[in-house]
Amino acid sequence: MNAWKLLFAVPIAAAFAMTPQDPPTNDTSVADVVVVRTISELQYTPLNGASVSVPARNVVEVRLLEDRGEHIRLELVYENGDYSLQTVQGFHLLHNGTGTREVRLVRGASTRMRFPRLP
């Protein structure tokens, strides 16, 4: 009976460990700028030059990390808990399409990333 408790506890703990975390609050010198906008689509161009389109219905938050040199770093947090970090040349927020949604747009530093904490 104890083996079953152990088998069920490990996947549940791993699932909680991989959820996006709030940025650390110990860095008081940098404050995030947060805006909520209604968008229909996010388009970005990665370093390879191929345009990528992400429907807004899937995205909860887009974080722009400013202190990463000459390229733009975008963190995308999806509704289902998925996470993506992209280094891009540029991006577009489109408002006039189907399937609009309110999305948090955050401008901040890489020290305040939402990257999931690993155990």
Side-chain angles (χ1 to χ4, degrees):
M1 187 62 108
N2 289 337
W4 285 109
K5 291 179 184 177
L6 179 62
L7 289 176
F8 286 123
V10 172
I12 292 171
F16 287 123
M18 288 302 295
T19 59
Q21 305 294 319
D22 289 330
T25 57
N26 56 359
D27 187 6
T28 58
S29 64
V30 179
D32 291 340
V33 177
V34 179
V35 178
V36 176
R37 294 279 189 239
T38 302
I39 66 171
S40 61
E41 187 175 359
L42 165 68
Q43 292 180 348
Y44 63 88
T45 306
L47 298 180
N48 68 5
S51 182
V52 176
S53 178
V54 179
R57 69 179 177 271
N58 298 333
V59 179
V60 175
E61 183 176 84
V62 176
R63 296 180 65 85
L64 170 65
L65 305 175
E66 294 185 304
D67 57 350
R68 298 305 301 171
E70 63 186 64
H71 297 294
I72 302 168
R73 302 267 334 245
L74 292 179
E75 273 190 305
L76 305 176
V77 180
Y78 297 92
E79 183 176 47
N80 65 357
D82 287 349
Y83 172 88
S84 179
L85 177 65
Q86 301 290 329
T87 302
V88 301
Q89 298 176 22
F91 67 97
H92 306 282
L93 299 173
L94 305 179
H95 302 279
N96 294 330
T98 59
T100 60
R101 175 189 188 140
E102 287 188 346
V103 175
R104 285 186 66 196
L105 306 174
V106 182
R107 180 181 228 161
S110 61
T111 58
R112 298 181 51 77
M113 291 174 60
R114 295 264 315 215
F115 185 77
R117 291 188 190 124
L118 302 175

